[in-house]
Amino acid sequence: MLKTVNLNYNYEDGKVALKNINIDLNKGNKIGIVGGNGAGKTTLFLSLIGYLKPDKGEVIFNDKKIKYNKKSLRNLRREVGIVFQEADKQIFYSNTYDDIAFGLRNLGYDEEIIKRKVDIIINLLNIEEFKDKPVHFLSHGEKKRVAIAGVLALDCKIIFFDEPLAGLDPSMSDNMINTMNNIVREGKKTVVSSHDMDFIYEYCDYVYVLNKGKVIDEGIPSKIFLNENTLNKANLKEPWLVKIHKKLNMPLFKNEEELYNFKRENIKG
Amino acid sequence: MLIIDTYAYINKLRCFNDDLKFLFFTIMISIALFANNSFIHLAIFSVMSIIVTIIAKIPIKVYFKMYLLPIAFILLSLIAFIFSISNNDITSLFSIKISSFFIIIREDSLIQAISLITRAFSTISCSYFLILTTPFNSLIKLLLKYKVPVLLIELTMLTYRFIFILLEEISKIYRAQDLKFGYNTMKNSFNSLGLLLRTLIVRMIKRYKDMIVSLESKNYDSQFYM
């Protein structure tokens, strides 16, 4: 649905930000983009939503090159949404409801439909309790949920999450992962960037590794995270499940649950 | 600013009918503006203060502290209002000769000044009554309901939202400087203040750019719908 062909992007000062990027978001429904600081993850996201125009190469959406005029960008952003790392930067209203409805109103929906859609989202994300509070009274985690609600309300087919877990407490992180899993269950795609390798390893079904603006490796997580070379080059670390696989001679588990099940069966046997 | 906001949410009149509060505010502030009698002004001031402190249960200390800022402005403007300069010593309540001219206080300007003070206090008390008992989001709803131009409401709402973002940035920078002894001497303080302003502008531009990205991603079409 959305992919890039030989995408190149340079910063204003001529520094290379993205170089020959070929990414196909059809490879999975939970795609991970990992890489050290300054690897180009956010730039890539901004190119994929059509905000940054590549210097060379194309972004292809539904088999067509995207055009950078208002109308086609509008069509693209109907289907592709993005949740930024800092919630404060994407909340404009002092009132939660109006902020969630913002994107829908921009698309010109009827107020009645908007109300129905926003109410569903408010229920889904459990933010009813602070619906009437002004935004600056909310905590970081709560603001983040409001920001996500504003994107979910648009009902996009693909949603980008830039560092979704940054700054969240453990239980809020679980909450966030749950929300993303629910989005995928509804038949949508999530694309996440993160520095939390445990999260990427367990959550994603396909991973791209970026380093200095280039894709240096791609594949399913169990393949990527066994490749020490790639990880070192990209300033990344092994997830703990990979570590116990390598150091304690255990099989490679996809998640914690599998490990416990394995232990249980082994003790029985 | 934050204090006002907090009390707007926890005061005892919060759930009282917003329309009635707004109507009461409109009537009282109209009387305060059009009446020329200082006693009426004082009466309005007392009634509003009693409602705010006793009925809405805003702490008296907080409430009167809020007058300090407007008092400063009123006093400053009064200086120009009460004193006038004249070349000859006309009959007045008070006059003092400085080289070739006189600084005088005239009776009529004094009366006007008193009326100005009482009027200012009564209107300020009316405004405080409204903003201390009605949360901002309810106020926006009221403005929409009474057909205030949307452009004005948009502007009010955005200003309100961004004041808090600005305050937050300032306090973050200030705290970081303060912890590194940026404000321990007069000289350092001036230095730090300059740095703070510079950093603030750079950060504001950065935030502005980020916000444009996020507006774009939501198909912003140059209007904030309410």
Side-chain angles (χ1 to χ4, degrees):
Chain A
M1 210 158 126
L2 191 62
K3 61 180 186 177
T4 67
V5 179
N6 288 328
L7 190 80
N8 279 276
Y9 181 80
N10 298 336
Y11 291 120
E12 284 119 0
D13 59 1
K15 222 180 96 196
V16 176
L18 298 175
K19 202 173 176 193
N20 288 330
I21 301 265
N22 289 294
I23 274 180
D24 187 352
L25 297 188
N26 270 331
K27 294 262 170 80
N29 286 325
K30 303 169 172 180
I31 291 176
I33 310 273
V34 295
N37 292 115
K41 290 170 298 198
T42 306
T43 314
L44 177 62
F45 278 9
L46 294 183
S47 308
L48 284 167
I49 62 161
Y51 181 77
L52 295 177
K53 199 176 168 188
D55 294 313
K56 241 170 45 194
E58 276 106 38
V59 178
I60 294 181
F61 180 58
N62 286 342
D63 300 323
K64 271 185 274 176
K65 275 195 233 171
I66 63 167
K67 290 194 201 84
Y68 292 87
N69 58 44
K70 214 167 177 185
K71 199 174 149 238
S72 35
L73 285 181
R74 204 177 149 102
N75 282 334
L76 172 70
R77 287 170 193 158
R78 239 173 223 267
E79 310 275 309
V80 182
I82 181 165
V83 179
F84 293 96
Q85 185 180 344
E86 275 172 80
D88 250 329
K89 288 178 183 166
Q90 44 192 325
I91 300 177
F92 301 99
Y93 289 79
S94 57
N95 172 311
T96 312
Y97 179 92
D98 282 330
D99 198 79
I100 299 172
F102 179 59
L104 293 169
R105 284 175 176 159
N106 285 339
L107 290 174
Y109 281 99
D110 278 339
E111 215 36 55
E112 232 170 87
I113 298 171
I114 291 175
K115 184 162 183 350
R116 204 168 345 118
K117 287 191 174 204
V118 173
D119 281 342
I120 291 172
I121 298 294
I122 285 177
N123 253 320
L124 192 76
L125 292 180
N126 260 326
I127 47 182
E128 217 140 327
E129 40 176 329
F130 44 86
K131 209 171 89 182
D132 293 320
K133 266 202 208 167
V135 168
H136 54 268
F137 279 173
L138 304 181
S139 74
H140 176 72
E142 291 170 334
K143 276 185 198 162
K144 191 108 187 180
R145 271 192 277 172
V146 173
I148 290 170
V151 176
L152 284 191
L154 288 168
D155 216 10
C156 297
K157 298 272 163 18
I158 305 175
I159 301 177
F160 292 93
F161 288 89
D162 197 359
E163 299 278 356
L165 306 187
L168 296 183
D169 65 37
S171 115
M172 274 296 304
S173 293
D174 285 349
N175 225 315
M176 184 81 189
I177 295 170
N178 260 335
T179 308
M180 291 194 288
N181 274 321
N182 285 337
I183 294 169
V184 173
R185 221 165 285 139
E186 278 174 32
K188 295 167 185 167
K189 245 183 234 302
T190 56
V191 183
V192 296
S193 80
S194 180
H195 288 138
D196 184 341
M197 292 304 120
D198 293 323
F199 157 64
I200 293 284
Y201 177 77
E202 287 190 34
Y203 177 77
C204 295
D205 54 11
Y206 202 84
V207 177
Y208 286 94
V209 183
L210 280 184
N211 185 39
K212 291 182 184 154
K214 276 189 263 185
V215 175
I216 56 168
D217 206 352
E218 61 169 280
I220 53 168
S222 48
K223 182 194 134 211
I224 295 287
F225 288 108
L226 284 178
N227 190 342
E228 257 172 68
N229 243 336
T230 309
L231 295 182
N232 284 337
K233 219 169 143 190
N235 288 340
L236 302 175
K237 281 246 162 73
E238 289 165 337
W240 70 276
L241 284 162
V242 173
K243 275 188 206 158
I244 60 166
H245 162 65
K246 281 188 167 170
K247 298 201 168 126
L248 301 179
N249 257 335
M250 298 270 233
L252 183 59
F253 303 109
K254 178 67 186 156
N255 52 44
E256 236 176 296
E257 240 1 80
E258 276 183 22
L259 165 70
Y260 301 144
N261 285 339
F262 172 81
K263 269 284 173 202
R264 218 171 289 137
E265 275 162 32
N266 266 21
I267 290 165
K268 264 186 211 157
Chain B
M1 204 61 187
L2 221 88
I3 301 171
I4 296 179
D5 222 52
T6 314
Y7 283 110
Y9 278 86
I10 57 171
N11 78 83
K12 293 280 181 289
L13 281 176
R14 185 197 159 175
C15 297
F16 192 77
N17 187 323
D18 286 335
D19 295 281
L20 284 181
K21 272 189 285 189
F22 193 62
L23 183 72
F24 183 61
F25 159 77
T26 321
I27 292 173
M28 290 307 242
I29 203 165
S30 313
I31 298 174
L33 282 173
F34 293 112
N36 266 326
N37 187 327
S38 288
F39 290 106
I40 294 179
H41 294 154
L42 287 177
I44 291 175
F45 175 73
S46 325
V47 169
M48 286 307 192
S49 301
I50 287 169
I51 293 178
V52 168
T53 53
I54 295 175
I55 301 182
K57 295 256 188 303
I58 308 282
I60 295 181
K61 222 173 141 188
V62 173
Y63 176 69
F64 284 104
K65 236 182 169 174
M66 282 173 58
Y67 281 95
L68 287 179
L69 193 69
I71 281 178
F73 281 103
I74 293 170
L75 288 182
L76 277 176
S77 51
L78 276 184
I79 293 175
F81 209 88
I82 296 176
F83 298 101
S84 25
I85 294 170
S86 170
N87 283 328
N88 34 30
D89 192 7
I90 46 172
T91 44
S92 57
L93 285 177
F94 168 85
S95 73
I96 189 169
K97 191 173 189 245
I98 294 174
S99 66
S100 63
F101 53 86
F102 296 87
I103 290 180
I104 56 171
I105 297 178
R106 286 160 46 153
E107 196 174 355
D108 54 342
S109 67
L110 193 66
I111 290 170
Q112 260 186 324
I114 290 170
S115 144
L116 188 81
I117 296 175
T118 54
R119 176 171 293 149
F121 271 95
S122 62
T123 47
I124 292 169
S125 70
C126 290
S127 312
Y128 281 174
F129 159 75
L130 188 68
I131 55 174
L132 279 171
T133 57
T134 322
F136 184 78
N137 288 334
S138 315
L139 270 181
I140 293 276
K141 271 185 210 148
L142 278 176
L143 295 178
L144 277 171
K145 195 169 162 190
Y146 293 111
K147 305 271 183 262
V148 174
V150 175
L151 191 70
L152 265 178
I153 305 177
E154 241 176 56
L155 211 60
T156 319
M157 187 274 301
L158 288 175
T159 313
Y160 176 77
R161 168 90 182 100
F162 286 97
I163 280 172
F164 289 101
I165 293 182
L166 185 79
L167 284 179
E168 214 180 273
E169 285 295 340
I170 292 174
S171 73
K172 268 188 209 161
I173 302 171
Y174 179 85
R175 199 185 309 139
Q177 290 180 323
D178 198 26
L179 286 173
K180 287 182 199 155
F181 317 108
Y183 292 93
N184 60 350
T185 64
M186 197 60 144
K187 195 175 157 227
N188 281 353
S189 298
F190 277 115
N191 255 331
S192 300
L193 194 65
L195 262 174
L196 185 142
L197 289 176
R198 197 190 73 184
T199 317
L200 192 65
I201 287 173
V202 172
R203 283 201 192 174
M204 280 294 143
I205 292 172
K206 170 95 173 56
R207 277 194 104 119
Y208 163 76
K209 283 184 173 166
D210 289 342
M211 277 193 164
I212 288 187
V213 180
S214 123
L215 279 172
E216 279 275 312
S217 77
K218 284 188 182 170
N219 290 309
Y220 172 65
D221 61 354
S222 69
Q223 196 182 345
F224 284 94
Y225 297 91
M226 305 292 297

